[in-house]
Amino acid sequence: MRWTGAIGAAVGLGGAGALVAPPQPARAASAGPTVLTAEQDAARFLAQCAFGGDRDLIDAVVAAGPINWLSAQFTLPPSLTFDVVDSYGPDSEEQFAHFDWTWWTHALSAPDMVRQRVAFALSQIFVISRQQDALFDSGRGAATYHDLMVAHAFGNFRDLLYAVTLHPFMGKYLSHANNRRSDPTANRFPDENYAREVMQLFTIGLFKLNPDGTPQRGPDGQPIPTYGNAEITEMAKIFTGLTYAPDNPDDPVVFGEYENLILPMVMVESEHEPGPKTLLDGFVVPAGQTGLEDIASAIDHLFQHPNVGPFIGRQLIQRLVTSNPTPAYVARVAARFNDNGFGVRGDMRAVIQAIVFDPEARDASRIDDPTFGKVREPLVRWIHLGRAFHASSDSDQFRHFGADTPEVGEEGFGELVPMAQYPYFSPSVFNFYSPSHQPAGPLTDADLVAPELEIVHAYTAIATINHFDRALVADDFYILDTFEQIAWLDLDTEIDVLLDSGPVGLLDHLDLLLTYGTLGAVTRQAILDAILPLSAPEEQVQLALYLLAISPDAAVLR
């Protein structure tokens, strides 16, 4: 790593212009504050419900109050990607890159930052992956799918589920596009892929749940399954007859004729399975309906299942606040999913409010609880860094520098490096990591989960550190070689803080932005020891920020 030599050369030298730290009060390494200042609470709030923020944004949350600030976020129009991607033309050979940089531009700079953060969380539940060859090149299709997450992030969960079901990317990915009715004489039966995943991953999970998310158990003490093979077979019949829309809306619909990955799929009644379908718990979709009416009935049936609130609520808590929410926390969020207070089920605004304003999310004393908090996934840490330190470019457009989009070659897709994450590039429909992942060792022994640690291993741990080093030292926070666009972090504010307040003031400032006042004494002292021998303020700021950004204090949201 580049800084190894710089640190080694600087230790003990001081330099004529080196800043000297005053004595620091002792604080136990494991101790965290039980009370946060208003600024620290605002910074923590932004790390939970958005992608973090700079000092101006933190001050804005303090001035408005978190509730009012979030309410204002709910009123902002969605920053969508399709129009941007489409402006380059449908025949562009760089469609995938256009979507990539538009996604990153919105993640880093769109004003509707809570909506963008929730959309990313939803995309890790309603997973599609552009690692599938057929989806890789369609940046316009990816844009319309992502825009579903953005548009419905503050809407109703039922509407999102229905829109996802008809989206051609999902139809291609989970193979219910061109899914034909049964023909026993030809030994042909409906594809069951989407029917299985819409239950297992998108709505209710494998086992019946109590309102607090704990599994219901039968007389034998085992969890009670929500469905079996018979229910999958019947659900698969629901999703027959869907095909791609014609490229020209005036053209007739022909089953299996097109591969339009932008417009919602359409129904061909002659290919839809006729007759009644018996779904969960004996619910019957009656005969005589149209194919789309059957789909609407099935979506409504799944949406009304009592599992959905705790199943989806728990995963959203995990994405935003803590990996191991208590049953009481899950129950409170599920209750808001079931009823937003005005008799409406599935109101995503109410769910988001319930998650981020729950007593367990806002109570600063939880910071000291070893069962509370979450490992922050590398992609989110990276965006936080860009938001907090004003990532910018001459073109105002960005593309992620570190996890280059895999290239398609004779051997398929390359690996995602260095952080094992890239938007809509998970290795499977099960996301980058499982919500129930338990690393071997103390966490398993304590029956705790740490989902994001599933993508942390010997390679990614080092590669991520080197990636942060490259960004903070070489001023190439983002590079898009194809379009010769370079982006960088603006650290002028941090240099001013250092010159005005010294290294301790700088650490206080960085602590607020990245660790909301929870930076441990050991980490703080290690950073001070490393930067004091450097004479140039720019180098001191870069090294301090780099060391804090890769520290466990910043990697774990508490």
Side-chain angles (χ1 to χ4, degrees), residues 163-198:
V164 163
T165 300
L166 295 187
H167 196 280
F169 252 50
M170 184 59 76
K172 171 69 74 173
Y173 187 58
L174 290 184
S175 59
H176 63 294
N178 296 329
N179 191 14
R180 302 176 67 184
R181 64 188 289 180
S182 303
D183 184 355
T185 62
N187 198 32
R188 186 184 73 216
F189 301 95
D191 185 287
E192 297 179 351
N193 203 12
Y194 186 73
R196 180 182 300 104
E197 307 307 356
V198 74

Side-chain angles (χ1 to χ4, degrees), residues 387-404:
R387 286 240 178 210
F389 301 100
H390 315 114
S392 60
S393 75
D394 289 338
S395 64
D396 294 325
Q397 296 168 333
F398 302 89
R399 181 184 171 196
H400 185 33
F401 174 64
D404 294 332

Side-chain angles (χ1 to χ4, degrees), residues 128-142:
I128 59 97
S129 177
R130 290 189 292 151
Q131 288 204 42
Q132 186 180 101
D133 290 14
L135 303 183
F136 177 77
D137 287 326
S138 181
R140 295 164 79 233

Side-chain angles (χ1 to χ4, degrees), residues 249-305:
D250 294 330
D251 290 343
V253 173
V254 180
F255 191 86
E257 180 70 16
Y258 307 99
E259 192 168 287
N260 187 326
L261 296 177
I262 298 170
L263 297 176
M265 294 186 291
V266 293
M267 179 62 65
V268 174
E269 295 297 339
S270 61
E271 291 293 347
H272 181 68
E273 187 84 14
K277 293 93 175 171
T278 303
L279 306 183
L280 303 172
D281 302 319
F283 174 81
V284 177
V285 174
Q289 296 191 144
T290 66
L292 289 179
E293 287 172 340
D294 275 5
I295 290 175
S297 294
I299 295 299
D300 288 339
H301 173 55
L302 289 172
F303 174 63
Q304 293 294 334
H305 194 283

Side-chain angles (χ1 to χ4, degrees), residues 211-344:
D212 63 3
T214 56
Q216 296 182 21
R217 298 185 182 275
D220 59 357
Q222 297 301 308
I224 303 172
T226 48
Y227 60 87
N229 287 334
E231 287 80 7
I232 295 173
T233 299
E234 290 291 288
M235 187 69 75
K237 297 175 183 178
I238 293 287
F239 302 112
T240 53
L242 288 172
T243 191
Y244 300 109
D247 297 329
N248 185 340
D250 294 330
D251 290 343
V253 173
V254 180
F255 191 86
E257 180 70 16
Y258 307 99
E259 192 168 287
N260 187 326
L261 296 177
I262 298 170
L263 297 176
M265 294 186 291
V266 293
M267 179 62 65
V268 174
E269 295 297 339
S270 61
E271 291 293 347
H272 181 68
E273 187 84 14
K277 293 93 175 171
T278 303
L279 306 183
L280 303 172
D281 302 319
F283 174 81
V284 177
V285 174
Q289 296 191 144
T290 66
L292 289 179
E293 287 172 340
D294 275 5
I295 290 175
S297 294
I299 295 299
D300 288 339
H301 173 55
L302 289 172
F303 174 63
Q304 293 294 334
H305 194 283
N307 266 31
V308 180
F311 182 74
I312 297 298
R314 182 176 186 273
Q315 290 188 71
L316 290 176
I317 295 170
Q318 287 184 309
R319 297 286 64 76
L320 301 178
V321 176
T322 182
S323 296
N324 296 276
T326 66
Y329 190 177
V330 174
R332 289 189 291 269
V333 171
R336 290 297 298 277
F337 181 95
N338 296 341
D339 186 340
N340 67 352
F342 300 94
V344 177

Side-chain angles (χ1 to χ4, degrees), residues 102-171:
T102 304
W103 191 97
W104 282 100
T105 299
H106 288 174
L108 280 162
S109 60
D112 56 330
M113 59 194 72
V114 175
R115 184 187 291 272
Q116 298 296 323
R117 179 68 185 90
V118 173
F120 179 59
L122 290 170
S123 77
Q124 294 184 279
I125 297 173
F126 295 99
V127 173
I128 59 97
S129 177
R130 290 189 292 151
Q131 288 204 42
Q132 186 180 101
D133 290 14
L135 303 183
F136 177 77
D137 287 326
S138 181
R140 295 164 79 233
T144 60
Y145 188 82
H146 174 65
D147 286 351
L148 288 185
M149 304 298 117
V150 173
H152 291 282
F154 296 162
N156 192 282
F157 184 84
R158 188 269 179 201
D159 297 335
L160 173 60
L161 180 61
Y162 185 80
V164 163
T165 300
L166 295 187
H167 196 280
F169 252 50
M170 184 59 76

Side-chain angles (χ1 to χ4, degrees), residues 93-106:
E93 295 181 358
E94 301 293 341
Q95 268 195 41
F96 67 91
H98 298 149
F99 171 71
D100 290 338
W101 95 40
T102 304
W103 191 97
W104 282 100
T105 299
H106 288 174

